[in-house]
Amino acid sequence: MDFARDAASPEALREMQKGLREPDERPLWALVDPALLDGKRLRSILVSLGWSAINALQGSPLEVYGEHAPLWIALPTDEDRAAQGLMRLLALDARASALSLVQTAAPQADLLALGAYLSRVLIDGDMLAHCRFADTRVLPELLSNLTPAQRTRVSHAVNAWAWFDHHASARFWSRESHVDMAEHADMAPHLELDKIQFSALLRASEPDTLFGLLNESTPELVPADGFGPFRDHLDAVLDRADARGVTSPNDRLQFAILALSCGPDFDRTPELQATWHDIERGETTLVKAMKGWSDALWDRLQSRHEIPPR
């Protein structure tokens, strides 16, 4: 699986572990998403470590995900033993968005209730969907867009949460920093997100989706390394697509291909201004408009060729 992320280092993992341990000595749990890793190797490592894993969706309607469900793993209290085991898990794929750490003294039942709560989302009161909260490409945006009542619900099971961002830097969420404890906790059986919350989640995930599509359709446009900065670049390209009124998935992919192959400001080419005007008025799409571009325009765009090295 391709991830638009830099590889996390064992040193960074140690710093994350230390950041959660100090100054609070509450137990640590690992949350792992086996669907993003080699599941057979993961299970083998857990057996060799003697670590027990709990289906994070146990007791919920999604328990049937079975071996593909996220796992809660209680870490040893001995910091060195925990670190050595975590490094083996990290080595499965240091670029994968499959690992986060949770500091909590809550009982196992509370963690399972949290998994049931975060894994199902009612979108705008209409559609009930599965939320891959254990995927650290989803988790940060999910936590940052919760309502106060929803954050308070999370805080009942979590004191602090940590993960790696796409630059392989540790990021932390803490109850003290993000939760108004005077707020009554949301007691719904699952999350409910309105259109604004859900749209924020979709937009935040779009650079990762685009990265996968580019790897499939035009891998020559994807660099051989530096995936974190490349993801930032894709995010900026999508912002430009937003500004030009380019909204459909196919058009946004094509816009990105043009930006990567013809330069990030290709859209400022004078001959294209009529195209953007028509797209903003809903009179055409980018894919349709490209069919009418002249050879001279294509020559001008292709003369700005900026394919990244592999």
Side-chain angles (χ1 to χ4, degrees):
M1 185 176 293
D2 294 316
F3 299 95
R5 305 165 65 84
D6 291 329
S9 68
E11 294 75 20
L13 182 59
R14 274 281 199 180
E15 287 301 311
M16 178 189 291
Q17 187 181 358
K18 182 179 179 182
L20 286 175
R21 289 285 191 195
E22 297 178 354
D24 199 315
E25 290 295 327
R26 300 184 198 199
L28 294 186
W29 291 71
L31 178 64
V32 177
D33 191 339
L36 304 175
L37 300 168
D38 183 327
K40 185 176 180 180
R41 287 180 60 203
L42 171 62
R43 290 189 293 274
S44 176
I45 290 173
L46 292 176
V47 169
S48 68
L49 290 170
W51 290 3
S52 60
I54 307 163
N55 182 337
L57 306 181
Q58 181 179 312
S60 82
L62 299 182
E63 184 177 354
V64 293
Y65 275 55
E67 63 183 24
H68 300 295
L71 301 173
W72 287 117
I73 304 168
L75 299 181
T77 55
D78 182 281
E79 189 169 338
D80 288 333
R81 282 186 56 212
Q84 291 168 10
L86 286 171
M87 287 176 192
R88 292 183 63 185
L89 297 181
L90 183 68
L92 285 169
D93 189 341
R95 285 178 53 213
S97 54
L99 173 68
S100 61
L101 302 181
V102 168
Q103 179 200 61
T104 178
Q108 176 181 309
D110 286 359
L111 290 177
L112 292 177
L114 178 65
Y117 177 69
L118 292 178
S119 62
R120 293 193 302 152
V121 177
L122 184 66
I123 302 167
D124 198 34
D126 180 40
M127 180 176 66
L128 191 61
H130 176 213
C131 178
R132 299 192 62 88
F133 73 98
D135 186 334
T136 59
R137 294 171 296 184
V138 175
L139 178 64
E141 201 67 25
L142 178 65
L143 291 176
S144 66
N145 280 281
L146 296 179
T147 67
Q150 290 167 339
R151 288 196 298 270
T152 301
R153 171 69 178 271
V154 173
S155 76
H156 282 182
V158 174
N159 185 63
W161 208 326
W163 58 86
F164 291 112
D165 66 12
H166 58 282
H167 290 291
S169 298
R171 294 288 179 261
F172 296 87
W173 182 95
S174 68
R175 176 171 58 189
E176 288 78 8
S177 299
H178 295 90
V179 176
D180 178 2
M181 298 306 292
E183 183 75 30
H184 292 295
D186 175 28
M187 299 309 296
H190 49 70
L191 271 177
E192 296 186 16
L193 302 181
D194 60 26
K195 286 183 179 179
I196 295 176
Q197 289 172 298
F198 185 63
S199 294
L201 288 181
L202 289 181
R203 179 60 184 85
S205 68
E206 196 174 5
D208 296 290
T209 301
L210 184 57
F211 180 79
L213 293 173
L214 290 170
N215 266 315
E216 293 176 4
S217 62
T218 52
E220 67 276 8
L221 296 178
V222 179
D225 53 26
F227 298 113
F230 184 64
R231 186 193 183 284
D232 290 337
H233 182 56
L234 293 181
D235 201 21
V237 167
L238 290 169
D239 283 342
R240 293 187 74 90
D242 290 338
R244 295 300 187 183
V246 177
T247 58
S248 77
N250 285 341
D251 276 5
R252 289 169 79 78
L253 172 60
Q254 190 59 63
F255 189 97
I257 291 173
L258 289 167
L260 293 171
S261 57
C262 303
D265 61 347
F266 84 95
D267 56 308
R268 294 179 179 169
T269 303
E271 293 91 330
L272 292 181
Q273 301 316 299
T275 295
W276 307 134
H277 182 64
D278 290 344
I279 288 174
E280 288 175 1
R281 293 193 301 180
E283 295 179 357
T284 189
T285 67
L286 179 57
V287 171
K288 288 180 181 178
M290 288 170 60
K291 296 176 182 179
W293 291 358
S294 67
D295 291 341
L297 174 55
W298 278 113
D299 288 343
R300 179 167 180 180
L301 291 173
Q302 290 168 358
S303 69
R304 305 163 52 133
H305 201 54
E306 294 184 7
I307 293 179
R310 288 190 67 83

